[in-house]
Amino acid sequence: MNKLSTSVYDAEPIPAQALQEVERLLSSGDLFRYTAPEDDPSPVVRLEEEFAEFIGARYALALNSCSSAIFLSLRSLGIKPGDKVLIPAFTFAAVPSAVVHAGAQPILVEVGDNYRIDMEDFAAKLTDHVAAVVISHMRGHTSDMDAIMALCEARGVPVVEDAAHSLGTTWNGCNIGTIGKVGCFSFQSYKLVNGGEGGILITDDEDVIARAVIMSGAYEHNWRKHRLPSNAFAKYQNALPLYNLRMNNLSAAIIRPQLAEIPRRVRDGRANHDYVAASLRASPHIEVPAPLPREERAPDSIQFNLVDFTADEARRLMALSAAKGTPISVFGLHQDNARAFWNWQFIGNIPNLPKTRAMLMKACDMRLPARLRKPELDIIIDGVLSSVAEVKGA
Ligand SMILES: *Cc1c(COP(=O)(O)O)cnc(C)c1O
């Protein structure tokens, strides 16, 4: 049987234009976002302007990570120590961590077999004690944003969208991240745009952006260099802590030329995903949940559920597929997985969440980067289907 010649964790090359800009920055030593004058904006400011335009938001703030963006969103919305923040029980550990970092208590909401928020549990937990909601569009799977926004707007609860891994996904034709009050994206290497590390926060709210810019580390009057049409900066001068979560010019130089690559990566990633999904659906032992009707994903991975597998059978599948070079990870069986809520011991008492637990024990995760071509996808499909057949019989 053929093996993949590359790892699914390998990145694609950074566009060549980045090199020229990185050389310019290295030869001048100009790496800090606030060295350049207001009328000759730094690469970080240019990235913020380009990203805001691309995504359709009034304001953008580039940061050192998406975790920092979620933390600053909560602090900018005025979340105080002891406040309760709803988050999905299926997300990356960075999300409850950002809530805890802001001094708040995460309340976990059940997630169903289709990786989306269980709206009944969400409505039940959205009480008067909840100060904010963070929605993670896990791997681009978008929860019912119409229902979530209607419930939250009725109670005046702000929504932060964690779109870390959902850049390019749309809901009702709108970019994910532009629906809630604040949207957060990641440029960590496993996401659609690879800056090594990095994140960006977007909002249309002039108070949120002023507070976020200052707290990100715009000390003294450096907020002027953001060139943002917000009247709120002066009001928060010296009133807020400075956490220093800024992005540096080198990261911006690497990220900026990749913005033009997003439409291609979205198109190819979606085609790859749909090709593999159609082949896997042919197996009676695999279920690939359908998207919600208003959602268009930009996948760089595929998730599917094992049907009628015991835990031992699922473990055998993980071992067999790994030996074939096409490793399948079952979220809940992979030891210390950062997306399994029972491993988030830092939040205090771990609640009992039977629906999310059942999903995590059968949900598989496989990377499917946009750069893969049909022969490679066929190897992946063959690796999965032959491993399933070996475990369950043909
Ligand atoms: C990657 C990721 C994050 C964290 O992003 P960083 O930039 O690494 O801090 C948060 N949420 C989700 C859903 C992610 O996939």
Side-chain angles (χ1 to χ4, degrees), residues 65-68 70 91-92 94-95 136 138-139 162 164-165 186-188 191 197-198:
S65 74
C66 180
S67 299
S68 296
I70 299 170
T91 183
F92 187 57
V95 175
S136 279
M138 253 318 247
R139 299 287 196 271
D162 164 22
H165 211 149
S186 175
F187 301 125
Q188 184 269 341
K191 317 296 164 118
E197 302 280 2

PDB file of all heavy atoms in Angstrom, residues 65-68 70 91-92 94-95 136 138-139 162 164-165 186-188 191 197-198, ligand 1:
ATOM      1  N   SER A  65      -1.230  36.261  19.677  1.00  0.00           N
ATOM      2  CA  SER A  65      -1.947  34.985  19.546  1.00  0.00           C
ATOM      3  C   SER A  65      -3.446  35.234  19.566  1.00  0.00           C
ATOM      4  O   SER A  65      -3.913  36.305  19.959  1.00  0.00           O
ATOM      5  CB  SER A  65      -1.586  34.018  20.681  1.00  0.00           C
ATOM      6  OG  SER A  65      -2.204  34.415  21.883  1.00  0.00           O
ATOM      7  N   CYS A  66      -4.191  34.205  19.168  1.00  0.00           N
ATOM      8  CA  CYS A  66      -5.647  34.276  19.275  1.00  0.00           C
ATOM      9  C   CYS A  66      -6.068  34.161  20.734  1.00  0.00           C
ATOM     10  O   CYS A  66      -7.063  34.754  21.147  1.00  0.00           O
ATOM     11  CB  CYS A  66      -6.278  33.156  18.444  1.00  0.00           C
ATOM     12  SG  CYS A  66      -8.074  33.151  18.489  1.00  0.00           S
ATOM     13  N   SER A  67      -5.298  33.423  21.536  1.00  0.00           N
ATOM     14  CA  SER A  67      -5.599  33.345  22.973  1.00  0.00           C
ATOM     15  C   SER A  67      -5.576  34.742  23.584  1.00  0.00           C
ATOM     16  O   SER A  67      -6.456  35.097  24.385  1.00  0.00           O
ATOM     17  CB  SER A  67      -4.567  32.473  23.684  1.00  0.00           C
ATOM     18  OG  SER A  67      -4.588  31.169  23.171  1.00  0.00           O
ATOM     19  N   SER A  68      -4.569  35.540  23.204  1.00  0.00           N
ATOM     20  CA  SER A  68      -4.504  36.929  23.689  1.00  0.00           C
ATOM     21  C   SER A  68      -5.720  37.717  23.207  1.00  0.00           C
ATOM     22  O   SER A  68      -6.258  38.554  23.940  1.00  0.00           O
ATOM     23  CB  SER A  68      -3.231  37.612  23.185  1.00  0.00           C
ATOM     24  OG  SER A  68      -2.094  36.987  23.713  1.00  0.00           O
ATOM     25  N   ILE A  70      -8.760  36.583  22.598  1.00  0.00           N
ATOM     26  CA  ILE A  70      -9.948  36.206  23.378  1.00  0.00           C
ATOM     27  C   ILE A  70      -9.873  36.831  24.774  1.00  0.00           C
ATOM     28  O   ILE A  70     -10.848  37.404  25.269  1.00  0.00           O
ATOM     29  CB  ILE A  70     -10.083  34.665  23.458  1.00  0.00           C
ATOM     30  CG1 ILE A  70     -10.231  34.074  22.051  1.00  0.00           C
ATOM     31  CG2 ILE A  70     -11.280  34.272  24.322  1.00  0.00           C
ATOM     32  CD1 ILE A  70     -10.124  32.549  22.000  1.00  0.00           C
ATOM     33  N   THR A  91     -13.940  22.572  22.577  1.00  0.00           N
ATOM     34  CA  THR A  91     -13.110  23.646  22.036  1.00  0.00           C
ATOM     35  C   THR A  91     -11.674  23.324  22.434  1.00  0.00           C
ATOM     36  O   THR A  91     -11.401  22.303  23.045  1.00  0.00           O
ATOM     37  CB  THR A  91     -13.557  25.034  22.539  1.00  0.00           C
ATOM     38  OG1 THR A  91     -12.747  26.031  21.902  1.00  0.00           O
ATOM     39  CG2 THR A  91     -13.427  25.196  24.034  1.00  0.00           C
ATOM     40  N   PHE A  92     -10.760  24.200  22.053  1.00  0.00           N
ATOM     41  CA  PHE A  92      -9.352  24.019  22.407  1.00  0.00           C
ATOM     42  C   PHE A  92      -9.136  24.588  23.813  1.00  0.00           C
ATOM     43  O   PHE A  92      -9.782  25.569  24.187  1.00  0.00           O
ATOM     44  CB  PHE A  92      -8.490  24.741  21.362  1.00  0.00           C
ATOM     45  CG  PHE A  92      -7.011  24.510  21.498  1.00  0.00           C
ATOM     46  CD1 PHE A  92      -6.484  23.230  21.473  1.00  0.00           C
ATOM     47  CD2 PHE A  92      -6.144  25.574  21.648  1.00  0.00           C
ATOM     48  CE1 PHE A  92      -5.117  23.013  21.592  1.00  0.00           C
ATOM     49  CE2 PHE A  92      -4.775  25.375  21.760  1.00  0.00           C
ATOM     50  CZ  PHE A  92      -4.265  24.091  21.735  1.00  0.00           C
ATOM     51  N   ALA A  94      -7.207  26.533  24.997  1.00  0.00           N
ATOM     52  CA  ALA A  94      -6.895  27.964  25.033  1.00  0.00           C
ATOM     53  C   ALA A  94      -8.118  28.795  25.422  1.00  0.00           C
ATOM     54  O   ALA A  94      -7.969  29.881  25.993  1.00  0.00           O
ATOM     55  CB  ALA A  94      -6.395  28.416  23.664  1.00  0.00           C
ATOM     56  N   VAL A  95      -9.330  28.290  25.123  1.00  0.00           N
ATOM     57  CA  VAL A  95     -10.533  29.102  25.361  1.00  0.00           C
ATOM     58  C   VAL A  95     -10.879  29.171  26.856  1.00  0.00           C
ATOM     59  O   VAL A  95     -10.956  30.269  27.421  1.00  0.00           O
ATOM     60  CB  VAL A  95     -11.700  28.616  24.475  1.00  0.00           C
ATOM     61  CG1 VAL A  95     -12.972  29.370  24.788  1.00  0.00           C
ATOM     62  CG2 VAL A  95     -11.318  28.777  23.005  1.00  0.00           C
ATOM     63  N   SER A 136     -16.883  29.053  20.060  1.00  0.00           N
ATOM     64  CA  SER A 136     -15.777  28.528  19.247  1.00  0.00           C
ATOM     65  C   SER A 136     -16.364  27.819  18.057  1.00  0.00           C
ATOM     66  O   SER A 136     -17.144  26.889  18.213  1.00  0.00           O
ATOM     67  CB  SER A 136     -14.963  27.503  20.044  1.00  0.00           C
ATOM     68  OG  SER A 136     -14.066  28.143  20.883  1.00  0.00           O
ATOM     69  N   MET A 138     -15.467  25.333  16.185  1.00  0.00           N
ATOM     70  CA  MET A 138     -14.403  24.327  16.220  1.00  0.00           C
ATOM     71  C   MET A 138     -14.156  23.750  14.841  1.00  0.00           C
ATOM     72  O   MET A 138     -15.064  23.223  14.206  1.00  0.00           O
ATOM     73  CB  MET A 138     -14.803  23.205  17.161  1.00  0.00           C
ATOM     74  CG  MET A 138     -14.058  23.179  18.478  1.00  0.00           C
ATOM     75  SD  MET A 138     -12.283  23.495  18.370  1.00  0.00           S
ATOM     76  CE  MET A 138     -11.650  21.905  18.850  1.00  0.00           C
ATOM     77  N   ARG A 139     -12.913  23.825  14.384  1.00  0.00           N
ATOM     78  CA  ARG A 139     -12.528  23.306  13.067  1.00  0.00           C
ATOM     79  C   ARG A 139     -13.437  23.878  11.974  1.00  0.00           C
ATOM     80  O   ARG A 139     -13.654  23.232  10.952  1.00  0.00           O
ATOM     81  CB  ARG A 139     -12.620  21.772  13.031  1.00  0.00           C
ATOM     82  CG  ARG A 139     -11.720  21.054  14.016  1.00  0.00           C
ATOM     83  CD  ARG A 139     -10.268  21.153  13.543  1.00  0.00           C
ATOM     84  NE  ARG A 139      -9.401  20.200  14.198  1.00  0.00           N
ATOM     85  CZ  ARG A 139      -8.752  20.407  15.337  1.00  0.00           C
ATOM     86  NH1 ARG A 139      -8.848  21.550  15.966  1.00  0.00           N
ATOM     87  NH2 ARG A 139      -7.965  19.472  15.840  1.00  0.00           N
ATOM     88  N   ASP A 162     -14.805  32.962  18.686  1.00  0.00           N
ATOM     89  CA  ASP A 162     -13.474  32.381  18.540  1.00  0.00           C
ATOM     90  C   ASP A 162     -13.446  31.722  17.165  1.00  0.00           C
ATOM     91  O   ASP A 162     -13.890  30.593  16.992  1.00  0.00           O
ATOM     92  CB  ASP A 162     -13.222  31.369  19.660  1.00  0.00           C
ATOM     93  CG  ASP A 162     -12.035  30.456  19.358  1.00  0.00           C
ATOM     94  OD1 ASP A 162     -11.185  30.840  18.537  1.00  0.00           O
ATOM     95  OD2 ASP A 162     -11.980  29.358  19.947  1.00  0.00           O
ATOM     96  N   ALA A 164     -10.670  31.182  15.532  1.00  0.00           N
ATOM     97  CA  ALA A 164      -9.232  30.876  15.402  1.00  0.00           C
ATOM     98  C   ALA A 164      -8.945  30.023  14.178  1.00  0.00           C
ATOM     99  O   ALA A 164      -8.001  30.272  13.439  1.00  0.00           O
ATOM    100  CB  ALA A 164      -8.739  30.156  16.656  1.00  0.00           C
ATOM    101  N   HIS A 165      -9.795  28.999  14.008  1.00  0.00           N
ATOM    102  CA  HIS A 165      -9.521  28.007  12.966  1.00  0.00           C
ATOM    103  C   HIS A 165     -10.630  28.040  11.913  1.00  0.00           C
ATOM    104  O   HIS A 165     -10.912  27.022  11.274  1.00  0.00           O
ATOM    105  CB  HIS A 165      -9.443  26.624  13.638  1.00  0.00           C
ATOM    106  CG  HIS A 165      -8.509  25.686  12.956  1.00  0.00           C
ATOM    107  ND1 HIS A 165      -7.809  24.709  13.588  1.00  0.00           N
ATOM    108  CD2 HIS A 165      -8.165  25.581  11.647  1.00  0.00           C
ATOM    109  CE1 HIS A 165      -7.075  24.038  12.725  1.00  0.00           C
ATOM    110  NE2 HIS A 165      -7.273  24.544  11.543  1.00  0.00           N
ATOM    111  N   SER A 186      -6.616  33.214  14.592  1.00  0.00           N
ATOM    112  CA  SER A 186      -5.244  32.800  14.908  1.00  0.00           C
ATOM    113  C   SER A 186      -4.398  32.718  13.643  1.00  0.00           C
ATOM    114  O   SER A 186      -4.890  32.296  12.589  1.00  0.00           O
ATOM    115  CB  SER A 186      -5.264  31.422  15.586  1.00  0.00           C
ATOM    116  OG  SER A 186      -3.939  30.952  15.788  1.00  0.00           O
ATOM    117  N   PHE A 187      -3.113  33.076  13.776  1.00  0.00           N
ATOM    118  CA  PHE A 187      -2.136  32.873  12.702  1.00  0.00           C
ATOM    119  C   PHE A 187      -1.080  31.855  13.126  1.00  0.00           C
ATOM    120  O   PHE A 187       0.026  31.837  12.596  1.00  0.00           O
ATOM    121  CB  PHE A 187      -1.459  34.198  12.321  1.00  0.00           C
ATOM    122  CG  PHE A 187      -2.416  35.269  11.846  1.00  0.00           C
ATOM    123  CD1 PHE A 187      -2.439  36.521  12.452  1.00  0.00           C
ATOM    124  CD2 PHE A 187      -3.290  35.019  10.802  1.00  0.00           C
ATOM    125  CE1 PHE A 187      -3.313  37.514  12.011  1.00  0.00           C
ATOM    126  CE2 PHE A 187      -4.178  36.004  10.359  1.00  0.00           C
ATOM    127  CZ  PHE A 187      -4.186  37.253  10.964  1.00  0.00           C
ATOM    128  N   GLN A 188      -1.405  31.013  14.120  1.00  0.00           N
ATOM    129  CA  GLN A 188      -0.506  29.926  14.524  1.00  0.00           C
ATOM    130  C   GLN A 188      -0.369  28.982  13.319  1.00  0.00           C
ATOM    131  O   GLN A 188      -1.251  28.908  12.471  1.00  0.00           O
ATOM    132  CB  GLN A 188      -1.097  29.234  15.761  1.00  0.00           C
ATOM    133  CG  GLN A 188      -0.242  28.134  16.364  1.00  0.00           C
ATOM    134  CD  GLN A 188      -0.564  26.780  15.781  1.00  0.00           C
ATOM    135  OE1 GLN A 188      -1.628  26.593  15.193  1.00  0.00           O
ATOM    136  NE2 GLN A 188       0.356  25.843  15.928  1.00  0.00           N
ATOM    137  N   LYS A 191      -3.113  26.905  11.364  1.00  0.00           N
ATOM    138  CA  LYS A 191      -4.335  27.555  10.889  1.00  0.00           C
ATOM    139  C   LYS A 191      -4.167  27.953   9.420  1.00  0.00           C
ATOM    140  O   LYS A 191      -3.108  27.783   8.831  1.00  0.00           O
ATOM    141  CB  LYS A 191      -4.668  28.772  11.774  1.00  0.00           C
ATOM    142  CG  LYS A 191      -4.493  28.508  13.271  1.00  0.00           C
ATOM    143  CD  LYS A 191      -5.442  27.446  13.829  1.00  0.00           C
ATOM    144  CE  LYS A 191      -4.960  26.959  15.181  1.00  0.00           C
ATOM    145  NZ  LYS A 191      -5.851  27.196  16.278  1.00  0.00           N
ATOM    146  N   GLU A 197       3.307  32.194  14.992  1.00  0.00           N
ATOM    147  CA  GLU A 197       2.351  32.541  16.032  1.00  0.00           C
ATOM    148  C   GLU A 197       1.714  33.847  15.620  1.00  0.00           C
ATOM    149  O   GLU A 197       2.275  34.595  14.825  1.00  0.00           O
ATOM    150  CB  GLU A 197       3.033  32.749  17.398  1.00  0.00           C
ATOM    151  CG  GLU A 197       3.814  31.581  17.931  1.00  0.00           C
ATOM    152  CD  GLU A 197       2.968  30.509  18.597  1.00  0.00           C
ATOM    153  OE1 GLU A 197       1.713  30.637  18.622  1.00  0.00           O
ATOM    154  OE2 GLU A 197       3.562  29.529  19.077  1.00  0.00           O
ATOM    155  N   GLY A 198       0.564  34.179  16.204  1.00  0.00           N
ATOM    156  CA  GLY A 198      -0.066  35.467  15.948  1.00  0.00           C
ATOM    157  C   GLY A 198      -1.570  35.346  16.035  1.00  0.00           C
ATOM    158  O   GLY A 198      -2.128  34.247  15.987  1.00  0.00           O
TER     159      GLY A 198
HETATM  160  C1  LIG B   1      -5.742  27.438  17.684  1.00  0.00           C
HETATM  161  C2  LIG B   1      -6.979  27.751  18.422  1.00  0.00           C
HETATM  162  C3  LIG B   1      -6.999  28.700  19.457  1.00  0.00           C
HETATM  163  C4  LIG B   1      -5.748  29.363  19.978  1.00  0.00           C
HETATM  164  O1  LIG B   1      -5.060  30.121  19.018  1.00  0.00           O
HETATM  165  P1  LIG B   1      -3.576  30.633  19.355  1.00  0.00           P
HETATM  166  O2  LIG B   1      -3.290  31.652  18.306  1.00  0.00           O
HETATM  167  O3  LIG B   1      -2.669  29.444  19.268  1.00  0.00           O
HETATM  168  O4  LIG B   1      -3.603  31.205  20.732  1.00  0.00           O
HETATM  169  C5  LIG B   1      -8.198  28.983  20.073  1.00  0.00           C
HETATM  170  N1  LIG B   1      -9.346  28.384  19.677  1.00  0.00           N
HETATM  171  C6  LIG B   1      -9.369  27.460  18.692  1.00  0.00           C
HETATM  172  C7  LIG B   1     -10.677  26.853  18.296  1.00  0.00           C
HETATM  173  C8  LIG B   1      -8.200  27.110  18.039  1.00  0.00           C
HETATM  174  O5  LIG B   1      -8.238  26.190  17.063  1.00  0.00           O
END
